[in-house]
């Protein structure tokens, strides 16, 4: 498996090798040794999530309070999606920037987002199935959102072949500036301290 660190600190792309034959295909989208070598720590999995989305569905931007935060390891089990890592950590040198990685069931690449980063994706096909390994369980009181259509983020939803389909919760979420002004966003220094703690355990 190949690993690539993205420009946003705490975000990585993983590319596994696939083994097709006359029966179908075998692939291991998560491999602990490659993950530890890239990130410097093991992945704690407290919960796994699975979502299925219609074409043009947008989910996110989602994030959690740090500490403890919620890191996510994500791959597309069926279909195709455009996955976004958004740096929403106040004080980060890349605050407000995002990176996009196409995830699909042809190459089974995966994205890891450390605690404190924002996550969103757009389904590019019907019945896009997404698997998430989460470092902490669902905690509604600690989970927040930013409107993915916020022009300050500049996420390229215009590349979709139709209008983005959002939940009411995501559409009603605050913009990036409003979330920052209200003190809702994670602090970069707190996140770095948390990452260092993970590497020392």
């Amino acid at each position: 498996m190949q690993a690539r660190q993205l420009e946003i600190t705490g975000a990585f792309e993983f590319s596994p090798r696939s083994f097709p034959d006359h029966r179908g295909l075998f692939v291991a989208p998560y491999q602990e040794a490659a993950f530890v070598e890239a990130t410097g720590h093991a992945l704690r999995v407290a919960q796994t999530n699975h979502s299925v989305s219609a074409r043009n569905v947008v989910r996110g931007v989602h994030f959690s309070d740090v500490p403890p935060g919620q890191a996510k390891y994500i791959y597309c089990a069926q279909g195709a999606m455009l996955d976004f890592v958004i740096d929403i950590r106040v004080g980060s040198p890349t605050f407000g920037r995002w990176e996009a990685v196409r995830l699909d069931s042809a190459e089974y690449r995966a994205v890891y987002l450390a605690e404190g980063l924002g996550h969103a994706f757009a389904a590019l096909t019907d019945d896009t199935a997404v698997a998430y390994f989460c470092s902490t369980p669902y905690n509604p009181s600690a989970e927040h959102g930013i409107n993915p259509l916020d022009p300050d983020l500049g996420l390229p939803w215009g590349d979709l072949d139709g209008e983005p389909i959002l939940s009411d919760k995501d559409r009603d979420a605050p913009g990036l500036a409003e979330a920052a002004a209200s003190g809702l966003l994670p602090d970069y220094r707190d996140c770095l301290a948390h990452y260092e703690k993970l590497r020392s355990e």
Side-chain angles (χ1 to χ4, degrees):
M1 173 179 277
Q2 294 182 335
R4 178 175 71 94
Q5 185 168 357
L6 303 182
E7 292 183 10
I8 295 173
T9 299
F12 296 82
E13 177 191 60
F14 293 89
S15 300
R17 184 180 174 192
S18 297
F19 299 91
D21 63 21
H22 66 282
R23 301 167 298 170
L25 176 142
F26 177 84
V27 63
Y30 173 74
Q31 298 172 35
E32 183 180 53
F35 181 87
V36 171
E37 182 178 356
T39 65
H41 62 83
L43 176 63
R44 177 177 183 265
V45 178
Q47 180 172 312
T48 61
N49 297 339
H50 183 91
S51 69
V52 179
S53 301
R55 182 193 301 265
N56 296 328
V57 163
V58 170
R59 296 181 187 262
V61 176
H62 299 151
F63 66 98
S64 298
D65 292 335
V66 179
Q70 187 182 70
K72 296 176 181 176
Y73 189 94
I74 301 151
Y75 72 92
C76 183
Q78 176 179 291
M81 59 191 276
L82 194 57
D83 199 76
F84 292 94
V85 179
I86 304 102
D87 194 345
I88 57 169
R89 300 166 300 187
V90 175
S92 169
T94 54
F95 177 78
R97 289 175 51 188
W98 54 266
E99 292 190 65
V101 178
R102 179 186 168 96
L103 305 180
D104 57 42
S105 54
E107 298 186 358
Y108 291 94
R109 286 191 300 271
V111 168
Y112 172 72
L113 302 90
E115 295 85 347
L117 292 171
H119 178 247
F121 74 83
L124 303 178
T125 64
D126 283 328
D127 299 319
T128 292
V130 181
Y132 319 66
F133 299 170
C134 303
S135 64
T136 55
Y138 176 65
N139 179 2
S141 65
E143 299 192 10
H144 310 286
I146 295 170
N147 189 321
L149 305 182
D150 179 12
D152 286 345
L153 291 178
L155 298 174
W157 307 123
D159 293 347
L160 298 176
D161 62 4
E163 287 296 314
I165 303 169
L166 277 67
S167 70
D168 290 341
K169 183 178 179 180
D170 288 344
R171 190 179 297 278
D172 294 340
L176 182 65
E178 182 183 349
S182 67
L184 193 64
L185 301 181
D187 181 83
Y188 184 59
R189 290 169 298 179
D190 291 344
C191 292
L192 291 183
H194 184 74
Y195 307 157
E196 187 57 37
K197 181 182 178 183
L198 289 175
R199 286 190 287 266
S200 66
E201 291 177 349

